[in-house]
Each structure stands twice: as C-alpha cells, then as structure tokens.
C-alpha cells in the first residue's frame, strides 16, 4: 500500500464510536514494537466503562497503554486512551490537557476536539484513523487533519459495524485511504518505517 | 462545528493582553489548547466578520467582556458528578468535620453551584448543615448569580437523582426541589448557609480558613506554574488537618506543597493537610 502520502509521523490518532472497539482490538496485537510515535485512542463510551478499557487494550499489546493525564508529555511507544467524560486536547508543547466543556455532538470525549488540536500542533506529522460509529463526531476533526497536511484514513463503510460515522466523514473529505480493519495495523507499522 | 484557525495564535495573545490591561482578567497562564478552542468557538458563534471587530468589542463593551469570560472559563457542571467522590465525602470526611463547632467549606470555581447544592444535601443528611458555612466563589459573576437562585433545568433531575442514589443518598431526591415549568428550584434551607462571592484564583488572596476546600475541574485549565500558585493559596487557607478535594483527573502530586499533604483517598482525589 505504498503511496506518496506515506511519511514518518510522530502521532497516530484513532477515533471511533459504536462498533470500533472490535476494530481497535484487532489492530493492537499486530503493532510492531519500537515504532517512533505515540498513539492516542478516543472512543465514545459510558463513563462507567472507565478503567477497564486501558486494561483491555493493555492485554492485547506490549505497548504501554495508559489513560491520558493532564499536562503529561506525549511520548513515543505509548498508547494514550482519552478518559471518559473529558475532552482530550493537545498543547503546542506536545503535552496533553483535559477539558470539561460541553459535549460536542453528544460526545465527551469528542474525536473532533482531539483531532483538531492535534492537527494544529503536529501538522503533517500526524495520521488519523476514523472508525465505525453511529454519530457524526470525527468528520470535522479529520478534515482539520487533512487541511494541516496530515494523513487521513477512514474505515471502509462496507465493513464497518455501523457505517454512519465513516459515511459522514466521506461526505466531507476524500481521505488518503479507505481501509479494512485487517489492513490498519499494517499501515501503522509502515508509518514507522519511513525515515 | 467551528474551525480552530479562525482566530490566529498571535491574535489570541493580543486579546489576552487587552483583557489583562483593560479589564484586569489574567488568562495568560491558562492551558492554551482549551483557550484557543473556546475563543474560536465564541468568535464563530457570535458571527464576527473580522478579528478587528472582535477585538474592538472586547475593548469597549463591558457587557461583552462578561460574556467572553463566561464562555472562555467553561461554566459546565453537574450535581453529584462522580457519585463515588460524594460517597467518600459522606463516609470519610463528614464524620471528621462533624467534630468542629463550625464547619467552613470553600467551593473554589463553583460555576452555577450544582456542586454546592450537592454538598448542602450531604451536610443536611449528616445533620451538620445548621453549623456549616459554604463559601462558593468563581471568577464569573454571572454564574454566581445563577448559583444563588438554586434553579436548575428540570430535565437534568433524572440524571442527578441517579447520581445522588449512587452517592449513598437515601431520601427521595425530588423532595429537595419544587418543579416549576421546566425548572427545579432547590429549597431555601439548602442555600441559607451559602455565601456567594467572586474570587479570582489567579490574582486574589486567601480570605478565610477552612476545614474543607473543593476545587474541581478548574485546575485542568491552568498551566503547572499557575497550579502551583493556587495550591499554595489553598494550603494557606486550610486549617491544620483540613481536607482538599480536587477533580477526578487532577492531582497535587507535581506541586511543591505535595509533601504537606497526605492522600486519604487517592482515587477520589482527596488530601489532608498534615504539616
Ligand atoms: C468546569 S467548571 C467546574 C465546576 C465545578 N467545580 C465542577 O467540577 O463541576 C470550571 C469553573 O472554574 C471557574 N474559573 C475559571 N478560572 C477561574 C479563576 N481564575 N478563578 C476562579 N474561578 C475560575 C470558571 O468560571 C468555571 O465556573
């Protein structure tokens, strides 16, 4: 799947809602170790789901998986999970911050908030994946990533458990890739190989 | 959805500088990503044709400055948010507070007051409200006005009632308010022990000594340096063995005063001043 748009990135973003958990659980075990970037996962869920999510992800990969904490540095080799009920934002100095403002499109964390602020800071060196979901969150964020020169990937709506989120995004932009969940880990691994 | 690049970074600096020079509000040590989102959101929401007009309005229209402050500082809150936190207050903190002749509590950054009414309900149920004083402060006078009315949207009550029950509440939650149209008015006995006042954590000083200070979901908006300043202010404003309660994602750990506190419940972010 080599393409001109492939480049070394410093940050990979993965956002999804209903039906995306299974996709992430499929990606994680196939990730290579020692890739030179961080991964941030934003997934809509009920607050009660809380810390079990980091445990669940941690059990599928040797990467360090942790809940994102405010003012913490974004370090390569780490998977950060946006905490329930806060928006996760990226600061200019590549640290994380949390925000308890209104829900966006009924969502907190909102994929848009993280994607937009990440695009603003990381520009070309970010890759953003938008997965299955039943709501329109993520489209604006993905668009911001694209406008800043970042790489955009949308899960193939044909196979997404819930098409709505990918379809909304496809109405708004033409991504670099429309991918099956089986191909996503491979792409992420490739992003680490470019120098 | 608004875009993040309508107001540029250097323009935001200009605005923050104006606000400080002309109106005395210092947002320069706030976390930038949130500020940037809030400012771009407001600019889009209020349909300004240009940055120049936005700036002019903020320089000359005091009414609009109030709106700006209200919108930038995220006045979002809930009753019994994080029920397990309130359960810990009931079980581990109130029994200690009950041993004092007068209980002074400070809610710093109380927004529209939902947290303060939740606390008053806890105190009432522990039979401590009659000897308590709840100081509720915020930078934003508009939210304090609303807080003092104790009127909240009725459509939130189902959620709040569920939170209340999981916090260990045993009463009928609806017995604390009367419903009128689409609003719920909380009973006056709860607010009778509340004192509302503006207080800016960035620039104002300590004004009393407390046995419990709650400052939840405010410090996430401050950079580390400003957090440190505020922690010093709290340390100074707490009785010996007083309690400090932060939001579920906030911590004292990185601050210089950490050594003077002992975590009594790390998960619920409650500390006790020990030195
Ligand atoms: C997200 S609300 C938190 C409300 C409540 N404590 C809670 O946790 O639900 C943040 C509040 O902090 C207030 N705030 C922001 N900056 C402040 C400052 N410098 N001094 C005092 N209050 C401030 C805002 O006006 C807002 O009402």
């Amino acid at each position: 799947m080599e393409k001109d748009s492939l480049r070394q990135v410093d940050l990979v973003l993965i956002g999804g809602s209903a039906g995306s958990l299974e996709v992430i659980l499929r990606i994680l075990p196939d990730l290579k170790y020692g890739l030179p970037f961080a991964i941030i996962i934003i997934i809509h869920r009920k607050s009660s789901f809380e810390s079990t999510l980091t445990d669940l992800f941690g059990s599928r990969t040797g990467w360090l998986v942790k809940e994102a904490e405010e003012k913490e540095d974004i370090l390569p080799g780490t998977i950060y999970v946006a905490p329930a009920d806060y928006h996760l934002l990226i600061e200019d100095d590549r640290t994380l911050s949390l925000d308890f403002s209104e829900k966006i499109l009924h969502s907190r964390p909102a994929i848009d908030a993280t994607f937009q602020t990440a695009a603003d800071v990381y520009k070309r060196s970010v890759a953003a994946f938008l997965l299955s979901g039943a709501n329109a969150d993520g489209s604006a964020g993905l668009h911001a990533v694209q406008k800043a020169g970042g790489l955009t990937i949308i899960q193939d709506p044909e196979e997404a458990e819930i098409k709505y989120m990918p379809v909304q995004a496809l109405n708004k932009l033409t991504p670099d890739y429309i991918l099956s969940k089986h191909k996503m880990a491979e792409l992420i691994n490739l992003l680490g190989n470019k120098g | 959805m608004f875009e993040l690049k309508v107001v540029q970074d250097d323009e935001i600096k200009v605005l923050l500088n104006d606000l400080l020079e002309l109106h005395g509000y210092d947002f320069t040590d706030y976390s930038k990503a949130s500020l940037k989102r809030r400012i771009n959101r407001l600019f889009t929401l209020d349909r300004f044709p240009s940055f120049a007009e936005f700036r002019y309005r903020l320089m000359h229209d005091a009414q609009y400055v109030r709106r700006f402050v209200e919108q930038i500082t995220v006045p979002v809150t809930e009753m019994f948010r994080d029920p397990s936190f309130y359960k810990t207050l009931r079980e581990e903190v109130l029994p200690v507070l009950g041993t004092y002749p007068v209980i002074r509590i400070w809610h710093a950054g109380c927004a529209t007051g939902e947290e303060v009414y939740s606390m008053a309900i806890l105190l009432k149920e522990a039979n401590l409200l009659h000897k308590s004083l709840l100081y509720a402060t915020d930078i934003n006078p508009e939210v304090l006005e609303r807080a003092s009315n104790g009127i909240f949207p009725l459509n939130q009550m189902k959620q709040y009632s569920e939170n209340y029950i999981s916090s260990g509440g045993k009463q009928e939650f609806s017995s604390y308010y009367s419903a009128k149209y689409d609003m719920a008015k909380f009973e006056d006995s709860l607010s009778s022990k509340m004192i509302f006042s503006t207080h800016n954590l960035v620039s104002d000083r300590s004004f009393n000594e407390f046995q419990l200070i709650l400052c939840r979901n405010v410090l996430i908006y401050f950079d580390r340096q400003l957090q440190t300043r505020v922690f010093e202010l709290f340390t100074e404003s707490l009785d010996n063995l007083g309690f400090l309660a932060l939001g579920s994602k906030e911590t004292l750990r990185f601050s210089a005063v950490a050594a003077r506190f002992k975590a009594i419940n790390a998960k619920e972010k409650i500390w006790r001043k020990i030195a």
Side-chain angles (χ1 to χ4, degrees):
Chain A
M1 58 172 86
E2 294 277 320
K3 248 208 222 180
D4 290 349
S5 56
L6 267 185
R7 85 290 303 260
Q8 157 112 49
V9 300
D10 294 334
L11 180 65
V12 169
L13 304 167
I14 303 176
S17 186
S20 66
L21 188 62
E22 179 238 343
V23 182
I24 295 170
L25 292 177
R26 185 170 296 268
I27 295 174
L28 292 178
D30 293 337
L31 292 181
K32 284 192 205 156
Y33 299 136
L35 295 176
F37 46 73
I39 298 178
I40 296 179
I41 297 176
I42 309 100
I43 178 165
H44 297 161
R45 62 200 185 273
K46 286 245 182 288
S47 327
S48 50
F49 213 52
E50 205 52 27
S51 56
T52 50
L53 201 57
T54 43
D55 294 344
L56 180 62
F57 291 161
S59 70
R60 302 298 173 99
T61 172
W63 284 53
L64 172 66
V65 180
K66 68 188 299 295
E67 190 180 277
E69 290 180 71
E70 62 116 12
K71 308 286 181 314
E72 114 176 278
D73 289 325
I74 302 172
L75 299 177
T78 310
I79 298 176
Y80 302 90
V81 181
D85 220 17
Y86 287 83
H87 298 306
L88 177 63
L89 311 181
I90 315 293
E91 298 285 343
D92 280 351
D93 58 359
R94 300 192 170 191
T95 57
L96 299 169
S97 67
L98 299 177
D99 175 21
F100 183 49
S101 54
E102 304 80 6
K103 294 183 178 178
I104 301 170
L105 299 165
H106 310 288
S107 312
R108 194 171 54 209
I111 300 165
D112 280 341
T114 311
F115 279 19
Q116 278 188 325
T117 51
D120 200 29
V121 173
Y122 283 82
K123 313 227 157 45
R124 269 181 56 79
S125 56
V126 63
F129 289 74
L130 191 67
L131 311 178
S132 165
N135 123 346
D137 187 23
S139 302
L142 206 60
H143 196 219
V145 168
Q146 182 164 69
K147 283 203 344 205
L151 201 64
T152 51
I153 303 97
I154 298 178
Q155 185 182 4
D156 187 347
E158 289 309 312
E159 67 148 41
E161 195 179 313
I162 301 183
K163 310 187 189 326
Y164 190 80
M165 189 175 270
V167 167
Q168 285 296 305
L170 282 167
N171 287 338
K172 198 162 171 124
L173 70 146
T174 308
D176 295 289
Y177 297 93
I178 299 174
L179 278 190
S180 150
K181 60 189 173 194
H182 303 286
K183 293 281 183 190
M184 289 181 180
E186 187 185 334
L187 179 70
I188 298 176
N189 289 333
L190 273 175
L191 295 174
N193 283 338
K194 294 257 147 183
Chain B
M1 195 65 202
F2 55 94
E3 289 197 30
L4 205 52
K5 305 292 273 177
V6 203
V7 185
Q8 303 295 318
D9 293 3
D10 47 342
E11 294 172 332
I12 291 183
K13 282 211 182 94
V14 170
L15 289 185
L16 296 188
N17 196 51
D18 286 350
L19 242 81
L20 179 57
E21 306 261 293
L22 302 173
H23 308 292
Y25 284 113
D26 187 357
F27 293 116
T28 49
D29 295 327
Y30 279 49
S31 305
K32 296 290 169 300
S34 167
L35 268 185
K36 194 188 275 193
R37 288 190 69 246
R38 303 301 290 176
I39 290 174
N40 275 291
R41 173 179 173 274
L42 187 62
F43 182 93
T44 309
L45 211 64
D46 291 350
R47 300 168 187 272
F48 282 99
S50 71
F51 172 72
E53 279 168 77
F54 192 31
R55 181 179 181 199
Y56 186 87
R57 188 87 185 268
L58 270 170
M59 289 171 90
H60 302 288
D61 181 348
Q63 197 81 27
Y64 194 73
V65 171
R66 295 182 81 159
R67 171 166 170 79
F68 182 89
V69 170
E70 158 146 10
Q71 290 296 320
I72 292 317
T73 52
V74 192
V76 178
T77 183
E78 286 165 24
M79 287 188 84
F80 293 98
R81 174 172 159 80
D82 308 319
S84 59
F85 166 77
Y86 285 93
K87 196 166 186 343
T88 309
L89 285 183
R90 274 186 206 275
E91 292 169 0
E92 295 177 40
V93 177
L94 294 196
V96 180
L97 296 188
T99 63
Y100 290 86
V102 181
I103 304 168
R104 275 190 303 272
I105 299 174
W106 178 16
H107 293 264
C110 67
T112 40
E114 282 83 339
E115 183 185 280
V116 195
Y117 284 82
S118 308
M119 178 61 96
I121 290 175
L122 292 194
L123 290 164
K124 185 163 186 171
E125 295 184 355
N127 202 14
L128 296 174
L129 187 59
H130 64 281
K131 61 166 180 173
S132 302
L133 285 172
L134 297 132
Y135 293 79
T137 67
D138 201 279
I139 187 179
N140 176 0
E142 309 283 317
V143 290
L144 292 172
E145 175 73 33
R146 276 189 265 157
S148 65
N149 293 333
I151 300 174
F152 306 121
L154 192 60
N155 61 15
Q156 301 280 2
M157 292 305 138
K158 185 169 169 289
Q159 174 69 52
Y160 293 171
S161 162
E162 285 168 17
N163 291 358
Y164 164 78
I165 291 165
S166 13
S167 82
K170 301 263 187 302
Q171 309 298 314
E172 197 58 59
F173 186 65
S174 58
S175 69
Y176 288 110
Y177 62 83
S178 42
K180 199 165 185 195
Y181 304 109
D182 51 355
M183 302 306 267
K185 161 106 179 81
F186 279 75
E187 61 181 53
D188 289 337
S189 67
L190 296 174
S191 54
S192 66
K193 296 294 183 176
M194 299 176 189
I195 298 157
F196 297 94
S197 164
T198 54
H199 181 280
N200 186 341
L201 290 167
V202 179
S203 48
D204 291 337
R205 308 175 64 96
S206 174
F207 59 95
N208 213 328
E209 289 225 328
F210 302 93
Q211 283 91 38
L212 168 62
I213 298 177
L214 296 98
C215 185
R216 311 191 74 221
N217 301 305
V218 181
L219 294 166
I220 46 172
Y221 298 102
F222 296 176
D223 69 17
R224 277 274 155 82
Q225 193 189 332
L226 184 52
Q227 289 186 355
T228 299
R229 186 205 177 269
V230 176
F231 285 136
E232 278 161 10
L233 174 72
F234 290 158
T235 310
E236 196 188 323
S237 310
L238 270 178
D239 265 0
N240 263 336
L241 299 176
F243 296 91
L244 176 63
L246 304 179
S248 64
K249 305 299 172 197
E250 294 161 330
T251 182
L252 199 60
R253 202 166 64 214
F254 304 110
S255 86
V257 299
R260 302 184 59 184
F261 287 84
K262 182 177 142 233
I264 69 149
N265 188 320
K267 183 178 163 284
E268 302 304 344
K269 305 297 158 92
I270 303 176
W271 283 264
R272 195 158 190 200
K273 185 172 148 187
I274 50 165

